Amino acid sequence: MEPDSAISTPSRNPPPLLPRQLSWVNLSRNLILAYQSLGVVYGDLSTSPLYVYTSTFTGNLHNHNSEEVIFGAFSLIFWTITLVPLLKYVFILLSADDNGEGGTFALYSLLCRHAKFSLLPNQQAADEELSAYKYGPSSQVVSSSPLKRFLEKHKRLRTALLVVVLLGTCMVIGDGVLTPAISVLSSVSGLQVTEEKLTDGELLLLACVILVGLFALQHCGTHRVAFLFAPIVIIWLISIFSIGLYNTIQWNPDIVHALSPHYIIKFFHETGKDGWISLGGILLSITGTEAMFADLGHFTALSIRLAFAFAIYPCLVVQYMGQAAFLSKHPGSIRYSFYDSIPVPVFWPVFVVATLASIVGSQAVITATFSIIKQCHALGCFPRVKVVHTSKHICGQIYIPEINWILMILTLAITIGFQDTTLIGNAYGLACMMVMFITTFLMALVIIFVWQKSVVLAAIFLIFFWFIEGVYLSAALIKVPQGGWVPFVLSFIFMIVMYVWHYGTRKKYNYDLHNKVSLKWLLGLGPSLGIVRVPGIGLIYSELATGVPAIFSHFVTNLPAFHKVLVFVCVKSVQVPWVSPEERFLIGRICPRPYRMYRCIVRYGYKDIQRDDGDFEDLLIQSIAEFIQMEAGEPQFSSPESTSFDGRMAVISTRTVQSSLSLVASEQEGSGLGDSIQSSKSLALRSMGSVYDDENPQMRRHQVRFQVPSNVGMDPAVREELMDLIQAREAGVAYIMGHSYVKARRSSSFLKKLVIDMGYSFLRKNCRGPAVALNIPHISLIEVGMIYYV
């Protein structure tokens, strides 16, 4: 109650900010975020000058190294950076955020909420009442759109949309493999231009050592070294700006004329097909652009715009201009164009900064890959993996050990296998351009369905940027035999894993959905369910948001006793990035009051982290108690005429729970609580529990004892139900889950048997179990074996 009193007391409120003060506070906050974004967002994009000209002037274009061709190459780079990162991303795409979040999943989430495109199971109408769900314009205006109705009607089109999103996601994961390889290999290649040249083998060994160190340090978390990131990138930007300006003035000031697009026409006129193929190298100048949108959640759109417009954009343009000026007078230096263009006195400082900047750029992409894998799992498209939180203060910073080591092995394989930045650049450019191509398509749909603009405007946006990106993509596809096949192979592998997991999960959910326990059967058994109801709470976990799962009938028909209070728990993901704690719990009742059967739906967003805070049981008990009180005060809930005993849910805010008078909570430490409460557990079970606590001190939690307040006006039936709930809590909580074996039916096709019996079973056996993923204490877990024939 303290916060309420603080708000209601005028003397404790801070004086209101004047508009001028408010604008200054907002600007200073965005400037600080812009500074921080330099290290997190722009590490990859800012290191592109290391390899762009080298990758461009390979193959037959090496024969066209005249001043006019070099000027034309710079003009292409300038207009590419201007049209794609600046125009498309900074001015348009950064406005299409989902509750402040960006990336491919944010666009897909927006589309699913403004049109019925979602393929996630167990979605409910109550999810649409979430505050984050209502973000953006109302969709009522376009409710009768023929295009919208057409897409909603055909499930295959919605499936195709999800496949496109997952393809873009797989390409981003491919970036997580290719970015460290090309960045680190390009930075250490500077040692080839020194007087004491390293051999190719020594250079490769150094690059591999740096890469192993980079991945080995991931478990420490970004936050431990993040304070160094922004200064490194700032020093790097100052370095490349100064060197570019020096080279422009020193070697060829006429390069400024190449800002005119007229030089692009001259470039293609002289080089022809060779110039078109070289676009696969030019597009490397915009690799890393997607990070501006993908990392939007950590910053603000204004801060990212400020950083790009006033720092990144001018520094990159001047650097590319300076390199082109140098190459116009030294066409033989194309292979190591960046390092050859560095003045000798500052070579070693710039080399060290370049190596550090490449590591910073790689770090950002690896961290983004972890986040994307987590989002894929939330959408039911990736197996359960271990998620480690590397920061107590920044929720989005996570580390996934299995993915980290897989990325490291793949990155080392690419580095050792190719040993050439040009070949890796072919793969890297293709992956980045595919992501941009898909993002443009999704953005066109957002313009129609979310921003509610005309189809003509969306078509203009789509055609304009698809034309630019399509030209680059066609040039990149030509280089598939020269390394461009790598992102396709990586994407194919990850897509197979995602498809098999998604397909198997959907089939298992549909089996549960069609084999639910009949409520009529439960009502026919009576409040005792035909068995002995012993003290305690049984938390039955299921993916079903409605109905009673089949595992419950296994218990009722095969065991002579069951818990007095039953709670059917469903932990599910919803199509929003975050669900506030105030809206996380949905509580309802199954069957009439004497049955003591409840339902709890715990909702998470696709970027939420399920933390093991140790207070889930206490929050659940308090939420159910709050629901019991609320139900007694709402006639429509407790009306005897109501024949439906499932599906009526209420959002129970954790803030309401903590300030509730339904139960009085007193906290006690660890196992000492067991001595003061008469527990129904046997001495053997209690001794096992104490041994478990001694062996796992980190798992020992504060236990809370509840009491019913001495409220004279409380309904006797409500008091009795609350007392039953408290006694059951004191007797102990058991977690009940299905230990499922999913098999294809005998009549299934060979392909389905291959996917289910081989692929899905392999992934289930080798990924983390649901009990571990849900942080369920092993000592309290009961698993029920079930075979699913799908």
Side-chain angles (χ1 to χ4, degrees):
M1 300 299 291
E2 184 65 22
D4 295 334
S5 61
I7 292 172
S8 60
T9 308
S11 61
R12 295 181 64 179
N13 280 341
L17 291 171
L18 297 173
R20 187 173 298 175
Q21 289 176 305
L22 192 63
S23 62
W24 170 247
V25 169
N26 187 47
L27 179 61
S28 60
R29 173 175 171 269
N30 278 290
L31 287 174
I32 293 170
L33 287 173
Y35 163 77
Q36 293 173 343
S37 72
L38 291 173
V40 178
V41 177
Y42 295 111
D44 185 15
L45 184 62
S46 65
T47 53
S48 296
L50 286 170
Y51 43 78
V52 169
Y53 282 110
T54 304
S55 298
T56 301
F57 286 92
T58 53
N60 293 330
L61 197 69
H62 193 68
N63 302 321
H64 303 276
N65 54 7
S66 64
E67 181 177 294
E68 202 166 66
V69 171
I70 292 170
F71 276 34
F74 165 67
S75 187
L76 268 169
I77 292 170
F78 170 74
W79 284 104
T80 302
I81 295 175
T82 303
L83 291 176
V84 179
L86 187 64
L87 179 60
K88 176 185 164 185
Y89 279 85
V90 171
F91 287 109
I92 301 174
L93 216 62
L94 286 177
S95 301
D97 65 298
D98 179 16
N99 293 273
E101 295 297 324
T104 309
F105 276 102
L107 296 177
Y108 181 66
S109 175
L110 281 172
L111 290 170
C112 288
R113 296 208 307 272
H114 287 79
K116 297 175 182 177
F117 295 160
S118 178
L119 293 174
L120 275 179
N122 61 32
Q123 299 301 291
Q124 300 168 283
D127 299 337
E128 299 179 13
E129 299 302 318
L130 291 167
S131 55
Y133 203 99
K134 300 172 184 176
Y135 186 84
S138 170
S139 58
Q140 293 178 356
V141 180
V142 291
S143 57
S144 59
S145 165
L147 179 60
K148 181 182 174 185
R149 289 200 305 270
F150 178 75
L151 292 172
E152 290 176 346
K153 183 180 178 181
H154 295 84
K155 186 180 178 182
R156 288 186 178 180
L157 292 175
R158 290 183 282 132
T159 305
L161 180 63
L162 178 61
V163 169
V164 167
V165 171
L166 292 179
L167 177 61
T169 302
C170 290
M171 287 291 176
V172 175
I173 296 172
D175 284 351
V177 174
L178 297 166
T179 300
I182 191 171
S183 297
V184 173
L185 202 56
S186 298
S187 63
V188 299
S189 67
L191 295 173
Q192 294 279 52
V193 303
T194 58
E195 292 181 1
E196 299 178 1
K197 288 187 178 181
L198 292 180
T199 64
D200 290 341
E202 291 170 338
L203 202 71
L204 185 65
L205 180 62
L206 178 61
C208 289
V209 169
I210 293 174
L211 287 170
V212 170
L214 174 65
F215 284 101
L217 290 174
Q218 290 300 311
H219 72 279
C220 297
T222 307
H223 69 287
R224 298 188 188 275
V225 286
F227 69 98
L228 289 174
F229 283 8
I232 287 171
V233 174
I234 287 174
I235 295 170
W236 168 247
L237 290 172
I238 293 171
S239 301
I240 63 174
F241 180 85
S242 304
I243 293 167
L245 193 61
Y246 168 81
N247 285 329
T248 302
I249 297 170
Q250 174 72 17
W251 300 111
N252 197 345
D254 291 339
I255 187 68
V256 294
H257 298 304
L259 294 174
S260 166
H262 176 64
Y263 280 83
I264 297 176
I265 300 171
K266 286 184 176 182
F267 174 83
F268 285 113
H269 179 72
E270 185 168 333
T271 60
K273 183 182 177 182
D274 294 336
W276 170 62
I277 294 173
S278 73
L279 291 177
I282 298 288
L283 68 85
L284 293 177
S285 62
I286 56 173
T287 52
T289 301
E290 190 70 22
M292 281 198 289
F293 187 45
D295 292 333
L296 180 59
H298 297 289
F299 306 97
T300 62
L302 179 58
S303 65
I304 291 177
R305 285 173 173 142
L306 287 172
F308 184 82
F310 294 102
I312 302 296
Y313 183 71
C315 289
L316 286 179
V317 169
V318 171
Q319 167 57 30
Y320 286 120
M321 184 187 296
Q323 265 196 74
F326 174 83
L327 289 174
S328 67
K329 301 300 181 184
H330 306 83
S333 297
I334 280 175
R335 187 178 179 189
Y336 302 109
S337 61
F338 176 78
Y339 285 110
D340 281 341
S341 69
I342 300 173
V344 176
V346 295
F347 176 83
W348 286 109
V350 172
F351 171 76
V352 172
V353 174
T355 305
L356 292 174
S358 68
I359 293 172
V360 169
S362 303
Q363 171 67 50
V365 176
I366 294 167
T367 306
T369 304
F370 294 153
S371 178
I372 284 168
I373 295 290
K374 164 72 181 65
Q375 294 172 31
C376 287
H377 169 62
L379 282 176
C381 296
F382 204 85
R384 291 177 292 269
V385 287
K386 181 180 181 180
V387 178
V388 179
H389 316 291
T390 59
S391 173
K392 293 180 180 178
H393 309 292
I394 305 172
C395 188
Q397 291 188 359
I398 59 174
Y399 164 67
I400 304 176
E402 300 96 324
I403 300 301
N404 183 62
W405 302 124
I406 290 171
L407 288 179
M408 186 188 79
I409 292 168
L410 291 173
T411 301
L412 289 174
I414 295 294
T415 306
I416 296 169
F418 286 123
Q419 303 182 22
D420 184 3
T421 55
T422 301
L423 295 176
I424 301 173
N426 293 339
Y428 185 36
L430 181 57
C432 290
M433 195 48 64
M434 284 289 291
V435 175
M436 292 182 185
F437 204 73
I438 290 169
T439 302
T440 301
F441 169 68
L442 294 175
M443 186 62 211
L445 294 179
V446 167
I447 290 172
I448 299 171
F449 298 120
V450 181
W451 290 359
Q452 300 171 10
K453 304 297 182 183
S454 68
V455 177
V456 175
L457 185 65
I460 293 171
F461 170 84
L462 185 67
I463 292 168
F464 179 75
F465 286 107
W466 259 13
F467 174 75
I468 297 170
E469 293 161 0
V471 171
Y472 281 112
L473 188 60
S474 64
L477 288 171
I478 290 293
K479 298 187 177 182
V480 166
Q482 292 86 39
W485 54 269
V486 171
F488 285 113
V489 171
L490 292 175
S491 298
F492 178 75
I493 294 170
F494 280 105
M495 280 287 286
I496 290 293
V497 171
M498 289 180 179
Y499 169 76
V500 169
W501 184 262
H502 181 72
Y503 180 78
T505 304
R506 285 298 299 269
K507 288 294 181 184
K508 179 177 175 292
Y509 175 79
N510 288 334
Y511 180 94
D512 274 332
L513 197 63
H514 294 113
N515 291 275
K516 291 190 292 187
V517 175
S518 168
L519 279 179
K520 288 185 178 180
W521 179 68
L522 284 176
L523 293 171
L525 293 176
S528 69
L529 299 177
I531 53 177
V532 178
R533 301 289 291 271
V534 297
I537 295 179
L539 301 183
I540 304 169
Y541 278 77
S542 166
E543 293 179 2
L544 294 178
T546 58
V548 178
I551 59 167
F552 182 66
S553 63
H554 269 278
F555 261 107
V556 173
T557 54
N558 293 292
L559 291 179
F562 214 58
H563 301 88
K564 192 170 185 179
V565 174
L566 298 176
V567 183
F568 292 88
V569 181
C570 170
V571 180
K572 71 172 190 175
S573 295
V574 289
Q575 208 80 53
V576 294
W578 314 99
V579 176
S580 67
E582 292 77 23
E583 300 175 305
R584 195 171 305 286
F585 287 95
L586 266 177
I587 304 292
R589 188 188 292 281
I590 301 176
C591 298
R593 178 175 285 172
Y595 284 70
R596 303 294 192 256
M597 293 169 65
Y598 310 94
R599 181 183 306 286
C600 173
I601 297 175
V602 189
R603 302 179 291 185
Y604 289 95
Y606 58 82
K607 296 202 81 170
D608 267 323
I609 305 296
Q610 299 181 26
R611 293 182 180 271
D612 184 16
D613 296 325
D615 58 354
F616 172 73
E617 289 179 11
D618 302 329
L619 281 175
L620 180 61
I621 301 304
Q622 289 176 297
S623 298
I624 293 173
E626 186 69 24
F627 171 78
I628 293 169
Q629 285 268 68
M630 182 189 297
E631 185 188 44
E634 299 285 344
Q636 66 269 26
F637 273 110
S638 54
S639 173
E641 288 79 13
S642 176
T643 56
S644 172
F645 297 105
D646 191 18
R648 298 168 299 149
M649 310 290 290
V651 178
I652 304 298
S653 168
T654 51
R655 284 185 181 176
T656 308
V657 163
Q658 289 163 1
S659 62
S660 168
L661 297 177
S662 301
L663 296 178
V664 177
S666 59
E667 194 172 279
Q668 301 187 24
E669 180 72 33
S671 58
L673 186 63
D675 300 329
S676 61
I677 297 172
Q678 290 185 347
S679 175
S680 64
K681 293 180 180 177
S682 66
L683 289 173
L685 280 175
R686 273 185 279 173
S687 64
M688 284 173 62
S690 63
V691 169
Y692 179 79
D693 285 340
D694 292 338
E695 292 178 352
N696 301 273
Q698 73 279 8
M699 295 295 292
R700 189 177 297 173
R701 302 170 179 179
H702 290 280
Q703 295 190 7
V704 177
R705 186 176 184 182
F706 297 107
Q707 293 178 334
V708 178
S710 54
N711 187 351
V712 182
M714 184 180 289
D715 188 332
V718 172
R719 179 179 290 275
E720 180 187 354
E721 190 169 6
L722 291 176
M723 286 298 297
D724 285 347
L725 185 65
I726 292 172
Q727 290 170 5
R729 170 68 175 84
E730 292 174 352
V733 178
Y735 296 79
I736 300 149
M737 300 191 75
H739 189 82
S740 53
Y741 301 88
V742 182
K743 296 183 178 180
R745 293 174 183 168
R746 291 184 179 179
S747 59
S748 300
S749 65
F750 171 77
L751 184 60
K752 184 176 179 180
K753 287 180 180 178
L754 183 68
V755 169
I756 296 295
D757 296 343
M758 299 287 292
Y760 186 65
S761 296
F762 174 80
L763 292 175
R764 279 181 65 86
K765 288 175 184 175
N766 290 279
C767 74
R768 290 170 69 81
V772 179
L774 293 168
N775 302 308
I776 293 174
H778 184 69
I779 193 71
S780 306
L781 177 64
I782 302 172
E783 290 190 292
V784 187
M786 277 196 69
I787 298 178
Y788 289 75
Y789 288 101
V790 297

